[in-house]
Amino acid sequence: MEEIKDKSIHHTALRLCEDLKQNPTYKGLYTDVQKLVSSSNVKYEDFKESLSKSMKENGLEAELRNNVYHWVRSQNKDNLCYASFDSFFKKAQIQWEKRIHKSLNSMCSELGIHLARIRFTQDREELIEKWGELSNYDVDINKYRPVYSPKDFLEVLLNLKGPNYKHRGEEPTWDFSHIPIKVKDLSELRTLYSELSHGEAVMGMNTSRYMSSSYAAFEAERIALGERVVLSNHAPVAQEYLKKGCPPCLRKKMWTLVLGSEVKETHYHYYEKLKTHVLQYDLMVDKLIIKDIHLTASNDDQYFVFEDVLHQILLCFSRDAEILKQLSNKPGYMQVVLKGKPSTPENTLIFPPSGVIPFHGFTMYAAPFCYLFDDSVALYFTVRAFYLRYWFRLHRVCGHSQGILCLCLLFERLLQCYDPVLWHHFKKIHIPPIRVVFKWIMRAFSGHLPPEQLLYLWDLVLAYDSLEAIPLLAVVILIFRRDNLLRVTTLQNIEAVLADLSSIAVMSMLQMALSKE
Amino acid sequence: MRVTFCTDLDKNVVVANCEKRGWIQVGPEDDWNIYWAGTLTCRSLFSVDSGYRMNDNQIINHFPNHYEISRKDLLVKNIKRYRRDLEKEGNVLAERGDSKYLHLDFIPVTFVLPADYNMFVEEYRKAPQSTWIMKPCGRSQGSGIFLINKLSKLKRWSREANKNPLQPQLAKESYVISRYIDNPLLIGGKKFDLRLYVLVTSFRPLKAYQFRLGFCRFCTVKYDSSVAELDNMYVHLTNVSVQKHGEEYNALHGGKLSVQNLRLHLESTRGKEVTERLFDQISWLIIHSLKAVQPVIATDRHCFECYGYDIIIDNKLKPWLIEVNASPSLTSTTANDRILKHKLLDNIFNIVVPPSGYPDVRWNKIVSTEALGDFELLIDEDILNHGNHDDTASLDRHSNRSANFYRWK
């Protein structure tokens, strides 16, 4: 037994080493270690001990540990719990992608444009000139429309007919109860979010009218602790720290640490390459991105100031082939031949290189990060890391416990369980509750909660490495407003009751829901 | 007794707030308790000719000579005098270093034209490369403002103003000329200024409250300090009344970002300490601008006033007082604006009306914590002088930085 275990550790270590060598930052790390080895601190006689001691001292050990941590986290991405459903979901996702691609193609033929072409020189020059103020980049996007909206996607999800599906007469699909996936119940959530359920002091409780002096003292204490965490440079410690919410002044550092998205020189070069690609190729998806920013962030009083930088990073995002490579279940992608070129491999490109087709509201996956970063490159890599770890599952059909489907199910079961009266009210007025909250869940509340509160919610996403706080918050908000909801009977009025979330205090509401009576 | 109110402004936010409280609207000739008036109405009411005498149960939303703070030239004059007086007293607040005031350097160097022309030229010659901004003293909303970077341009302007026979008043109009803050803090590459609200319920003793909500007004066009853009007011002026005419104006957000969000962004990108210092400095400059006019404002127990403070932050996170409005706009340009202005009015009434709910000028105007709403106590000389600040929790904000608090004294 021991032997097998030893062996498996040995194998893991080998794989780990192989993978680390592929990492873009490996070279720098290796050079740093080499430098250390040649210093006088490392003794030939006592090589192992003295090396590890000096690595500890100059922080290389923490860096190496973080690399292992990120590697381990990237390994268990694919643990799909429902193998029997796996193929079903895969098929459904393929169909959904086909629909999206078809819709892209028909929009192109309608508008008489091509998916991809070499950018005209004049256009390229304008882009270069206006790179810092792309909101003024002159391009006609009037005729473009979002490929799909959260509502369309919900329709797709509701129409999934799993292997256990039974036709239920004329009634349209009302909920996800026919998808037999187990999701957590409240007591399991309490175990997961144990720090919150114990009712310990957390950040973000200062929403009462006055900033009480006790909160100020608590915040000062958290900042002092947080500064030590940042100094230690240990990613798992940072993750643990986030469980009680992060003071805004440390969030940028904490998040990049947990996500491993610190930027080095190589990242700047990489980003520059993405930009070059944007300048070189005129892709139809560019207009979709610009259109989406115009429809969302540009009109939003929380985010309009960041519209220019959002243009930059989202255009670059579409060109990032690493995204397609890193997504565990590669999305289906299109191969497109550049307009007016012979169909040869060098004239063919993956459309878009990232494989991600934006939908209405996609910008909101990135917008809140603008509050944290002044530097667009640092902003880009944290947005990308967050997307690759969490957001991508919010707009695809999959059975993953962190996928949109499971989050919807979790929402429904919690609501059904904890407020059956409200649930029946929805049933009586023929409005599926998921319809009301789906946009919150699909956007992880971005654009719905004020940024300050939203960032606390996302602290928890990172801290517990789970999106389950999102449907939980949706349930709590409904229950919080139940008296008003019970009084209205139309979708319009329900939406009116839930339209303004500016008074929601995320941390206290979640804490309330998770603590035992 | 029912409270009666009167207003000469066609502002729904005023009427709605009063009616919500069950107050009855009456005409100016009737027996009113609360008058929300325009500055002109107010001035004529206070004038000797009107012969109107208010009784103890009447309050009004302006001080008779508010222009001491709201006129650009008078504000500058008062602040300069305030500094000089403190200096004469040997007060440490007026300490200087490198010829500048260390603690009271919160307005850009400013002169009144034509009166201080020679002084201006002297100052101009010290740094001939700098840009100056000309503003007519009596106008508002960005009208008549322009930038100059050459003395010749100013001379040409003055010749033309004198020559213009159709507008002889233009020649008499006085201007202030201020050093232009050409290194403003930019967010998303754009310039903005802050609009904050301050309520004063008494000048002697000084009682002032700062509204926690406020907003940044953004220019729609990327900031560019180059000479070529000197005449492009969409780059330089943040006034909504100017920006509204720009091509890029967005009516959904109106170019307004809340102060809370500004704070979040600054704390996240620059750190908590510098952000706190900035906001402390803002409170500091508000208090001293009020103290500067304290001796000249005709104090009247019937009066209270809500000021709109316009502040620009430079890229070293230093706030500069640009001007003070005695009638800040109550018009709402966006949905959030409406909410904010509604709250502002509601909170003002909570503070100026005593707990009995009936206006009474004999009340000591010490406001309970509950009644403050979104206002924070900036200074109350009654409380400071009697040293009983325990009963006002709002001073809590400064309690962990008591050093800061005592400098208010």
Side-chain angles (χ1 to χ4, degrees):
Chain A
M1 189 63 204
E2 275 300 300
E3 201 184 323
I4 297 171
K5 216 171 153 189
D6 264 1
K7 239 187 187 156
S8 92
I9 286 180
H10 181 65
H11 280 298
T12 312
L14 281 181
R15 257 183 53 218
L16 170 66
C17 291
E18 282 310 305
D19 287 354
L20 280 190
K21 280 181 196 162
Q22 303 305 313
N23 198 317
T25 55
Y26 173 77
K27 239 174 131 181
L29 182 67
Y30 191 72
T31 320
D32 288 344
V33 175
Q34 275 183 321
K35 273 186 204 151
L36 195 64
V37 168
S38 57
S39 78
S40 60
N41 291 341
V42 180
K43 308 271 184 300
Y44 180 72
E45 317 74 76
D46 190 18
F47 185 72
K48 197 174 162 189
E49 279 300 309
S50 60
L51 175 62
S52 84
K53 187 167 163 272
S54 356
M55 280 183 69
K56 236 180 224 155
E57 276 162 8
N58 79 347
L60 275 177
E61 194 224 13
E63 206 172 317
L64 190 59
R65 272 176 191 273
N66 288 344
N67 273 309
V68 176
Y69 164 86
H70 299 308
W71 181 82
V72 172
R73 270 162 55 106
S74 67
Q75 291 308 296
N76 45 23
K77 257 191 207 167
D78 305 327
N79 60 343
L80 281 173
C81 351
Y82 301 97
S84 59
F85 269 88
D86 198 28
S87 65
F88 165 72
F89 287 128
K90 266 191 185 140
K91 257 188 237 155
Q93 171 64 14
I94 289 169
Q95 266 179 350
W96 170 230
E97 279 160 359
K98 274 191 186 145
R99 264 185 68 189
I100 295 173
H101 295 161
K102 209 175 138 194
S103 154
L104 278 179
N105 278 319
S106 61
M107 205 189 306
C108 279
S109 49
E110 219 176 276
L111 300 174
I113 50 158
H114 275 77
L115 282 170
R117 62 176 307 145
I118 304 279
R119 204 176 280 285
F120 289 124
T121 322
Q122 196 189 348
D123 188 24
R124 179 161 55 225
E125 271 158 16
E126 194 190 343
L127 258 186
I128 293 169
E129 192 199 316
K130 291 194 173 159
W131 187 254
E133 43 178 334
L134 284 172
S135 55
N136 297 327
Y137 168 53
D138 209 8
V139 55
D140 183 17
I141 47 163
N142 271 329
K143 289 193 193 118
Y144 290 84
R145 44 176 207 277
V147 184
Y148 65 97
S149 68
K151 221 169 132 195
D152 301 324
F153 186 50
L154 176 61
E155 226 48 62
V156 171
L157 294 179
L158 283 172
N159 283 320
L160 286 177
K161 299 180 175 58
N164 296 356
Y165 178 76
K166 282 195 195 74
H167 191 58
R168 285 187 294 183
E170 291 307 299
E171 201 189 335
T173 323
W174 204 77
D175 60 15
F176 293 111
S177 55
H178 59 289
I179 309 269
I181 299 181
K182 193 185 170 316
V183 291
K184 291 197 178 74
D185 59 24
L186 192 59
S187 81
E188 285 165 303
L189 286 177
R190 279 182 180 141
T191 314
L192 172 65
Y193 293 102
S194 65
E195 285 77 5
L196 279 177
S197 62
H198 291 156
E200 292 168 45
V202 291
M203 290 296 297
M205 307 292 269
N206 55 330
T207 42
S208 63
R209 295 221 103 117
Y210 307 99
M211 176 96 161
S212 74
S213 53
S214 65
Y215 182 81
F218 172 68
E219 191 183 15
E221 199 181 290
R222 288 290 295 166
I223 291 175
L225 179 65
E227 276 164 354
R228 279 167 52 206
V229 171
V230 168
L231 212 62
S232 83
N233 199 34
H234 281 296
V237 182
Q239 188 184 352
E240 197 61 29
Y241 176 83
L242 287 177
K243 289 185 174 175
K244 287 186 178 178
C246 193
C249 57
L250 292 172
R251 191 172 273 129
K252 172 175 57 177
K253 284 181 188 149
M254 254 357 133
W255 285 20
T256 41
L257 195 50
V258 175
L259 291 163
S261 56
E262 299 96 338
V263 285
K264 306 219 164 98
E265 221 181 305
T266 53
H267 294 92
Y268 284 87
H269 293 313
Y270 187 81
Y271 186 80
E272 210 45 47
K273 269 191 218 152
L274 299 176
K275 183 181 161 186
T276 310
H277 198 292
V278 174
L279 296 175
Q280 194 168 3
Y281 298 102
D282 179 3
L283 303 188
M284 182 260 196
V285 77
D286 298 347
K287 277 91 170 187
L288 293 176
I289 289 166
I290 294 170
K291 179 81 179 190
D292 192 52
I293 296 170
H294 279 233
L295 288 174
T296 57
S298 298
N299 285 328
D300 190 317
D301 63 356
Q302 328 256 25
Y303 300 113
F304 72 94
V305 290
F306 303 120
E307 59 179 344
D308 289 326
V309 72
L310 282 168
H311 277 87
Q312 294 172 19
I313 62 157
L314 290 175
L315 287 175
C316 287
F317 185 93
S318 72
R319 302 307 205 271
D320 195 341
E322 194 65 23
I323 293 168
L324 185 61
K325 211 170 96 194
Q326 285 196 23
L327 286 177
S328 49
N329 289 306
K330 275 201 179 132
Y333 52 82
M334 296 196 270
Q335 304 252 29
V336 177
V337 180
L338 292 169
K339 189 200 169 199
K341 300 273 176 177
S343 166
T344 57
E346 54 272 22
N347 286 329
T348 309
L349 57 85
I350 292 173
F351 179 90
S354 67
V356 182
I357 311 277
F359 57 89
H360 184 162
F362 187 81
T363 307
M364 301 318 279
Y365 285 156
F369 293 95
C370 297
Y371 271 96
L372 309 186
F373 296 91
D374 268 340
D375 175 41
S376 54
V377 178
L379 169 66
Y380 176 78
F381 283 98
T382 294
V383 168
R384 188 182 83 168
F386 229 98
Y387 180 82
L388 284 172
R389 187 139 191 100
Y390 305 107
W391 302 152
F392 78 98
R393 290 205 182 88
L394 293 178
H395 64 101
R396 61 183 289 124
V397 186
C398 69
H400 194 280
S401 63
Q402 296 289 313
I404 183 86
L405 208 53
C406 281
L407 299 179
C408 289
L409 259 173
L410 179 61
F411 163 79
E412 285 185 355
R413 302 232 170 115
L414 287 174
L415 184 64
Q416 221 166 354
C417 235
Y418 293 95
D419 202 338
V421 176
L422 190 55
W423 178 266
H424 280 287
H425 175 68
F426 276 111
K427 189 113 198 167
K428 222 167 59 207
I429 57 176
H430 304 289
I431 296 169
I434 190 66
R435 236 176 239 292
V436 183
V437 302
F438 187 73
K439 54 183 189 296
W440 294 348
I441 299 179
M442 192 174 168
R443 287 182 176 185
F445 277 101
S446 178
H448 297 287
L449 287 173
E452 187 195 10
Q453 293 299 315
L454 182 81
L455 295 172
Y456 283 126
L457 180 65
W458 291 8
D459 279 343
L460 297 181
V461 168
L462 274 178
Y464 294 94
D465 199 22
S466 165
L467 294 169
E468 282 151 313
I470 291 163
L472 178 63
L473 181 64
V475 174
V476 185
I477 292 173
L478 290 199
I479 294 178
F480 207 66
R481 303 225 166 136
R482 73 188 299 268
D483 292 347
N484 287 329
L485 289 172
L486 289 174
R487 254 181 245 135
V488 294
T489 54
T490 63
L491 183 61
Q492 201 187 359
N493 287 340
I494 284 181
E495 280 177 347
V497 170
L498 299 171
D500 177 21
L501 300 186
S502 61
S503 61
I504 299 294
V506 169
M507 295 299 258
S508 15
M509 284 178 77
L510 287 176
Q511 205 166 42
M512 220 150 42
L514 288 165
S515 61
K516 292 187 182 118
E517 296 75 34
Chain B
M1 254 190 301
R2 297 291 291 267
V3 176
T4 53
F5 75 97
C6 176
T7 179
D8 63 349
L9 290 177
D10 188 24
K11 288 287 183 270
N12 188 37
V13 64
V14 176
V15 177
N17 254 298
C18 294
E19 283 178 346
K20 197 189 72 192
R21 290 165 181 265
W23 297 349
I24 299 159
Q25 184 162 13
V26 295
E29 309 301 324
D30 300 315
D31 203 8
W32 50 264
N33 298 119
I34 295 168
Y35 203 153
W36 194 280
T39 48
L40 287 179
T41 312
C42 196
R43 231 178 287 170
S44 67
L45 204 65
F46 277 109
S47 73
V48 191
D49 313 337
S50 84
Y52 194 92
R53 274 188 61 84
M54 284 185 223
N55 65 39
D56 281 352
N57 299 108
Q58 289 187 305
I59 55 176
I60 188 161
N61 67 324
H62 291 291
F63 285 91
N65 58 342
H66 56 78
Y67 44 80
E68 291 286 349
I69 191 166
S70 63
R71 264 189 66 124
K72 298 171 182 89
D73 49 345
L74 294 178
L75 173 67
V76 170
K77 200 185 90 194
N78 284 318
I79 287 176
K80 284 182 178 172
R81 196 210 51 245
Y82 174 64
R83 288 169 177 164
R84 269 199 314 274
D85 289 353
L86 286 176
E87 211 169 0
K88 266 185 230 149
E89 281 171 28
N91 195 313
V92 287
L93 287 177
E95 203 181 325
R96 290 202 203 212
D98 205 15
S99 89
K100 270 193 206 146
Y101 288 94
L102 291 176
H103 314 291
L104 297 174
D105 178 36
F106 55 78
I107 49 166
V109 176
T110 300
F111 300 97
V112 180
L113 292 186
D116 302 337
Y117 183 77
N118 291 336
M119 278 154 80
F120 161 70
V121 172
E122 193 183 319
E123 184 71 27
Y124 178 87
R125 296 229 157 99
K126 285 186 200 161
Q129 290 311 313
S130 53
T131 305
W132 294 76
I133 185 164
M134 286 277 285
K135 298 176 185 176
C137 296
R139 288 197 248 167
S140 65
Q141 302 193 319
S143 102
I145 294 180
F146 59 93
L147 299 180
I148 64 156
N149 62 338
K150 282 197 190 75
L151 215 49
S152 58
K153 197 172 161 190
L154 182 64
K155 283 180 186 148
R156 192 177 342 125
W157 167 80
S158 134
R159 264 200 312 277
E160 271 161 27
N162 283 322
K163 240 177 3 208
N164 196 335
L166 292 175
Q167 290 172 288
Q169 78 278 9
L170 211 61
K172 288 197 197 84
E173 195 173 18
S174 65
Y175 272 71
V176 290
I177 187 160
S178 312
R179 170 155 298 144
Y180 186 60
I181 309 288
D182 58 3
N183 60 333
L185 175 67
L186 306 180
I187 292 182
K190 287 175 185 136
K191 181 184 166 174
F192 65 96
D193 76 350
L194 277 179
R195 165 50 68 86
L196 298 173
Y197 298 95
V198 174
L199 174 66
V200 175
T201 56
S202 156
F203 271 95
R204 291 196 297 275
L206 185 59
K207 289 170 187 278
Y209 306 85
Q210 187 182 338
F211 201 47
R212 288 196 303 129
L213 314 176
F215 47 85
C216 315
R217 299 177 296 188
F218 278 80
C219 291
T220 48
V221 184
K222 213 163 183 68
Y223 185 69
D224 183 346
S225 61
S226 68
V227 178
E229 294 291 346
L230 216 54
D231 293 327
N232 183 350
M233 286 302 132
Y234 296 122
V235 173
H236 297 285
L237 295 191
T238 55
N239 306 56
V240 173
S241 41
V242 173
Q243 293 293 337
K244 230 170 21 193
H245 303 293
E247 243 176 82
E248 308 292 335
Y249 183 78
N250 178 313
L252 284 171
H253 53 68
K256 291 177 179 174
L257 183 82
S258 74
V259 168
Q260 296 100 297
N261 284 339
L262 169 71
R263 205 180 178 124
L264 176 66
H265 182 58
L266 291 179
E267 269 190 35
S268 305
T269 52
R270 310 243 179 165
K272 189 172 172 68
E273 220 169 291
V274 289
T275 309
E276 296 263 298
R277 196 186 317 136
L278 165 68
F279 282 91
D280 279 349
Q281 280 180 355
I282 289 174
S283 300
W284 166 264
L285 77 79
I286 291 172
I287 286 175
H288 287 284
S289 64
L290 293 172
K291 290 192 131 196
V293 298
Q294 189 177 24
V296 291
I297 293 270
T299 193
D300 186 313
R301 294 181 306 160
H302 302 93
C303 303
F304 65 92
E305 199 155 36
C306 175
Y307 300 105
Y309 269 73
D310 291 345
I311 289 162
I312 285 185
I313 304 169
D314 71 19
N315 59 12
K316 296 186 188 94
L317 292 196
K318 178 180 166 65
W320 295 94
L321 175 58
I322 301 304
E323 67 172 293
V324 182
N325 289 281
S327 313
S329 162
L330 294 176
T331 317
S332 313
T333 51
T334 66
N336 278 341
D337 224 23
R338 192 153 48 244
I339 296 170
L340 180 142
K341 279 160 185 169
H342 193 85
K343 243 190 194 160
L344 174 66
L345 262 278
D346 178 68
N347 288 188
I348 289 174
F349 287 134
N350 278 344
I351 291 179
V352 299
V353 177
S356 68
Y358 198 71
D360 186 346
V361 297
R362 289 158 300 187
W363 176 46
N364 67 3
K365 294 190 177 175
I366 289 184
V367 182
S368 74
T369 311
E370 296 73 47
L372 283 174
D374 279 306
F375 273 105
E376 281 177 311
L377 179 61
L378 261 186
I379 184 166
D380 185 330
E381 290 180 333
D382 260 347
I383 298 176
L384 279 178
N385 296 338
H386 297 103
N388 58 339
H389 26 74
D390 301 341
D391 35 333
T392 39
S394 64
L395 291 175
D396 238 0
R397 190 165 74 99
H398 302 288
S399 66
N400 53 337
R401 307 192 300 272
S402 52
N404 291 344
F405 170 66
Y406 284 109
R407 66 175 194 211
W408 297 162
K409 276 195 175 185

